[in-house]
């Protein structure tokens, strides 16, 4: 990693080298390592280090960009010239709001030296803990133990100058028996956020409970969704409904319903890139400081996130949610949180007379974005709940249901929340007890 001073100097050098009307230089660097295990053995260790500079140049309302990982003075100059040439080849963009003004971003400490220094041997030791535990239970484990440090810097011709660094560490595992499997995982920015032994015990316990799954008739059931499944629910809301472009184009479920009750009064979502409980990043890819944005407040549609273009279209200020240049999705909530409740996992299950406990979803896809109808399958631990107790494992189920409708009938919310990576960012969510979830088919496993 280059560090604060070097990254700022690199970005500011690129800006000074440009003769465009406006220029922006964005640096993204990472040092990522991954240890894989399968069949109760570590079988792969890979590592990648890279740093890329993206230059945006503006000439007469025309915007061009270029990307390079040649960070020599000559390489940077070539990228600056390529961005300027690219701008001249574009049509003028009357909706371009200009580059971000200079502004102070929050400082968030989500970096730990111990994660940055994590060795292949240490990751292998953690993976070995999981593999040995699986072998002792007569199960087969597969999964990953990864660690990374990332840094991001930005400078532009309006005087903006930012730097941020973060560490990430993740462990997850699937344990497989002859007739069933179990999953567990942890993600965080510090070693204390993960626990290979805890992952092993959780996945192993779930896998043993999942053996010899039984059939159940498809239909509507009460469900308890573990945090892994709720992460999928939250990710689809982030992608389909919580961005300003989706709202402005009428594709969001909140279009025309701002201020109305769209979910249960027990549900609240917000985005906060400055909260160290997530994968924090205090400014966006345009250099705008991130602001906390209420999205769903006690079930009411209360807001969406903006970048500079979507904010300018409504005469508003960006909330700091621009994606990388080249992405066409519009602004997205990359640090999404869902409010926890007051129930333990046992209390959530205890509140169900007859229903289904779902560990996680798999192969989920959008059917209808306006009503957030999603189809997919359960995976790695699906169980029948009867009279407040888990009574038997079930074969995996296919579902097609509206996540929006499902969050309209929330019977209970877990007090603990868990962090997971989303489509582009992260989500921190609790487990949920929902009154109705539509299962449309069953599998043979």
């Amino acid at each position: 990693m280059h560090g604060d001073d070097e990254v700022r100097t690199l970005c500011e050098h690129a800006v000074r080298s440009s003769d465009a009307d406006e220029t922006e230089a964005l640096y993204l660097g990472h040092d990522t390592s991954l240890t894989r295990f399968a069949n109760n053995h570590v079988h792969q260790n890979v590592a990648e280090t890279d740093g890329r500079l993206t230059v945006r140049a503006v000439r007469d309302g025309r915007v061009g960009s270029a990307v390079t990982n040649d960070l020599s003075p000559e390489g940077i100059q070539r990228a600056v010239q390529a961005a300027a040439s690219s701008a001249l080849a574009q049509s003028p963009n009357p909706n371009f709001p200009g580059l971000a003004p200079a502004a102070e971003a929050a400082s968030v400490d989500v970096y730990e030296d111990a994660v940055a220094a994590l060795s292949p041997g240490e990751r292998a030791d953690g993976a070995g803990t999981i593999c040995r535990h699986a072998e002792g239970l007569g199960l087969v484990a597969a999964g990953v133990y990864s660690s990374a440090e990332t840094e991001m810097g930005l400078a532009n011709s309006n005087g903006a100058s930012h730097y941020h660094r973060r560490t990430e560490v993740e462990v997850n595992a699937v344990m497989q028996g002859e007739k069933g499997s179990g999953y567990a995982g942890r993600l965080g920015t510090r070693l204390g956020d993960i626990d290979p032994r805890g992952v092993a015990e959780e996945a192993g316990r779930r896998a043993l409970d999942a053996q010899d799954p039984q059939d159940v008739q498809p239909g509507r059931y009460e469900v308890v969704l573990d945090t892994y499944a709720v992460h999928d629910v939250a990710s689809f809301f982030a992608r389909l409904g919580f961005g300003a472009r989706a709202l402005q184009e009428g594709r969001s479920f909140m279009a025309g319903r701002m201020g109305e009750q769209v979910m249960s009064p027990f549900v609240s979502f917000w985005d906060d890139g400055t909260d160290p409980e997530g994968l924090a990043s205090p400014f966006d890819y345009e250099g705008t400081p991130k602001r906390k944005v209420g999205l769903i407040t006690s079930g009411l549609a209360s807001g969406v996130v903006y970048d500079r273009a979507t904010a300018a279209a409504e005469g508003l200020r960006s909330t700091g949610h621009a994606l990388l240049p080249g992405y066409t999705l519009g602004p997205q909530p990359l640090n999404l949180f869902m409010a926890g409740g007051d129930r333990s996992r046992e209390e959530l299950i205890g509140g169900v007379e007859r229903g289904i406990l779902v560990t996680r979803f798999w192969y989920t896809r959008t059917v209808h974005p306006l009503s957030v109808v999603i189809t997919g399958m359960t995976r790695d631990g699906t169980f029948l709940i009867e009279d407040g107790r888990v009574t038997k494992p079930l074969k995996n189920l296919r579902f097609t249901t509206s996540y929006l409708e499902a969050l309209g009938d929330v019977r209970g919310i877990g007090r603990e929340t868990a962090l997971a990576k989303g489509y582009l960012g992260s989500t921190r969510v609790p487990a949920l007890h929902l009154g109705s979830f539509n299962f449309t088919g069953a599998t043979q496993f």
Side-chain angles (χ1 to χ4, degrees), residues 112-287:
E112 185 178 69
D113 290 334
V115 173
L118 203 63
S119 70
E122 289 171 311
R123 287 192 304 276
D125 285 343
T129 296
I130 297 172
C131 293
R132 288 189 295 272
H133 187 77
E135 192 167 25
L137 297 175
L139 302 169
V140 177
V144 299
Y145 189 161
S146 66
S147 57
E149 54 177 323
T150 63
E151 60 182 352
M152 175 179 174
L154 182 143
N156 70 26
S157 50
N158 292 331
S161 180
H162 301 288
Y163 177 82
H164 175 68
R165 66 177 184 170
R166 181 178 71 225
T167 48
E168 297 176 21
V169 60
E170 182 175 17
V171 176
N172 63 60
V174 174
M175 291 193 186
Q176 181 78 44
E178 288 188 11
K179 296 182 179 180
S181 59
Y183 173 84
R186 305 285 188 274
L187 170 70
T189 60
R190 303 177 187 277
L191 283 181
D193 296 330
I194 65 164
D195 176 13
R197 168 61 64 179
V199 168
E201 292 174 352
E202 181 186 341
R205 182 171 58 251
R206 186 169 284 126
L208 292 177
D209 290 343
Q211 298 306 301
D212 298 315
Q214 307 298 303
D215 292 307
V216 69
Q217 191 70 23
R220 286 197 171 270
Y221 289 85
E222 288 185 54
V223 293
V224 172
L225 304 183
D226 212 330
T227 55
Y228 308 116
V230 179
H231 158 69
D232 189 84
V233 175
S235 294
F236 273 98
F237 283 121
R239 195 186 318 176
L240 298 177
F242 288 157
R245 176 166 293 172
L247 184 73
Q248 291 168 354
E249 295 178 352
R251 295 181 287 106
S252 168
F253 68 91
M254 293 199 287
R257 303 186 66 188
M258 208 50 83
E260 296 180 9
Q261 198 83 38
V262 295
M263 297 181 189
S264 163
F266 301 118
V267 174
S268 291
F269 284 101
W270 65 92
D271 185 89
D272 188 357
T274 67
D275 190 334
E277 290 298 303
L279 299 182
S281 181
F283 56 93
D284 71 3
Y285 296 110
E286 294 179 322

Side-chain angles (χ1 to χ4, degrees), residues 7 38 62 84-85 94 100 153 158 188 236 246 249 276 278 280 299 356 358 377-378 384 394-395 399 417 430:
V7 168
R62 306 165 191 261
S85 297
N158 292 331
F236 273 98
E249 295 178 352
I356 295 174
V358 178
M377 297 177 64
T378 66
L384 184 66
L394 298 175
K395 293 179 181 178
F399 69 89
T417 60

Side-chain angles (χ1 to χ4, degrees), residues 338-375:
M338 183 180 185
D342 60 358
R343 307 284 177 86
S344 67
R345 186 173 185 273
E346 292 71 24
E347 288 171 330
L348 291 175
I349 294 170
V352 179
E353 183 176 343
R354 190 171 191 275
I356 295 174
L357 170 62
V358 178
T359 298
R360 66 173 180 152
F361 296 136
W362 184 252
Y363 207 67
T364 46
R365 297 293 185 269
T366 305
V367 176
H368 197 298
L370 271 175
S371 49
V372 199
V373 176
I374 307 299
T375 189

